[in-house]
Amino acid sequence: MSFKMNIKQNLKSIKSSIPDSVTLVAVSKTKPVSDLMEAYNAGQRIFGENKIQEMSEKQEVLPKDIEWHMIGHVQRNKVKYMASFVRLIHGVNNIKLLKEINKQALKHGRVIDCLLQIKIASEDSKFGMTPTEAYNLLQSEVILGLKNVKITGLMGMATFTDNKNQVKQEFNTLKQTFDNLKTIQTKNCELKTISMGMSGDYQLAIDCGSTMVRVGSSIFGERNYA
Ligand SMILES: *Cc1c(COP(=O)(O)O)cnc(C)c1O
């Protein structure tokens, strides 16, 4: 038996604890469309998923004014399945992926916003670029030719640990990287967003400068992967 989460109530209390300037992405991965609909009816319009297929299936049946964010690791061969609708891709970590997003966006006559994922965690399992790699990418000639993508910010995931000091240091690293890279402004690069913070650490992330938090279990309850 699992008890029913009060999604509406959870959303309300999270919204009231974050500043208006911070965007809340409701992370709905593994959750049924009925849960998403409940959040939608409570006013939530931005949803984050980490699997392209699951996101497309939900997008097909849910209201069309939802903004879909891809927050997971993106496989290049699957970009085509979300190119017609995805609003923001958080996990871009190499130029080849960016080229593929550009190619698929072009087919739909769209410009797709992307965040570069920076590796701030100490765990090997987490993806991302180093600040130097991100700098080199943003400065490269190649990127200027990619007219159907726009780099609008950075994303990072802290180490999964109870050590608040470590998490804080990692968030500070992302903020610092953002401040350094923000000075690079081209036609398709204008850094505005810092996507950092999840259920366990979003308050800390906001204190460290986050402008977008990705919150799942605190809204929808624990995920059951069984
Ligand atoms: C699942 C996930 C989240 C949300 O995690 P919670 O701890 O449930 O809030 C945030 N970001 C990414 C990249 C995720 O995969």
Side-chain angles (χ1 to χ4, degrees):
M1 270 300 285
S2 64
F3 74 101
K4 186 96 181 72
M5 288 298 287
N6 191 333
I7 292 169
K8 189 177 173 182
Q9 199 59 48
N10 294 343
L11 268 171
K12 205 175 148 191
S13 77
I14 291 166
K15 282 235 167 208
S16 68
S17 71
I18 65 177
D20 286 343
S21 57
V22 173
T23 304
L24 173 63
V25 179
V27 176
S28 47
K29 60 193 188 195
T30 78
K31 298 296 176 180
V33 292
S34 56
D35 283 5
L36 280 77
M37 225 23 235
E38 217 171 309
Y40 180 89
N41 287 332
Q44 183 64 27
R45 292 293 179 273
I46 306 176
F47 292 87
E49 292 279 338
N50 72 338
K51 296 217 162 63
I52 294 173
Q53 187 174 341
E54 183 178 344
M55 183 170 76
S56 321
E57 285 168 9
K58 287 172 174 172
Q59 189 269 343
E60 266 181 39
V61 298
L62 283 162
K64 295 300 173 263
D65 61 342
I66 288 176
E67 263 188 36
W68 293 97
H69 288 201
M70 174 43 55
I71 62 168
H73 185 61
V74 177
Q75 284 171 276
R76 246 181 303 147
N77 61 351
K78 292 191 178 157
V79 172
K80 55 179 176 284
Y81 301 117
M82 63 174 171
S84 68
F85 69 90
V86 68
R87 181 62 183 274
L88 181 64
I89 302 176
H90 290 231
V92 175
N93 62 354
N94 64 73
I95 190 81
K96 272 174 124 178
L97 175 57
L98 207 52
K99 282 181 181 169
E100 176 64 14
I101 296 168
N102 185 73
K103 181 177 150 191
Q104 299 300 332
L106 177 61
K107 284 186 188 167
H108 295 278
R110 303 185 65 216
V111 174
I112 298 180
D113 289 349
C114 298
L115 306 181
L116 296 183
Q117 183 166 359
I118 307 295
K119 187 179 186 315
I120 53 172
S122 58
E123 295 148 319
D124 284 340
S125 59
K126 301 241 161 96
F127 293 97
M129 317 174 87
T130 65
T132 307
E133 285 167 345
Y135 176 83
N136 290 338
L137 188 154
L138 293 177
Q139 291 283 21
S140 71
E141 290 283 315
V142 181
I143 200 169
L144 293 172
L146 306 179
K147 298 195 165 59
N148 293 76
V149 293
K150 185 156 191 196
I151 312 294
T152 59
L154 305 180
M155 181 268 214
M157 282 176 90
T159 303
F160 188 71
T161 171
D162 288 331
N163 184 343
K164 283 244 178 321
N165 267 329
Q166 184 181 352
V167 172
K168 189 175 172 187
Q169 263 182 32
E170 294 173 356
F171 285 155
N172 284 336
T173 300
L174 188 60
K175 168 72 164 117
Q176 187 68 57
T177 305
F178 175 85
D179 289 342
N180 292 339
L181 297 179
K182 199 170 56 176
T183 56
I184 304 174
Q185 292 220 3
T186 62
K187 272 203 175 104
N188 52 7
C189 169
E190 191 184 355
L191 303 188
K192 291 175 295 192
T193 301
I194 307 178
S195 168
M196 64 182 185
M198 322 195 335
S199 289
D201 56 22
Y202 69 87
Q203 289 294 2
L204 181 57
I206 292 168
D207 291 343
C208 296
S210 172
T211 69
M212 185 175 276
V213 293
R214 311 175 307 267
V215 179
S217 43
S218 290
I219 298 171
F220 297 105
E222 293 300 321
R223 286 174 293 273
N224 182 1
Y225 288 100

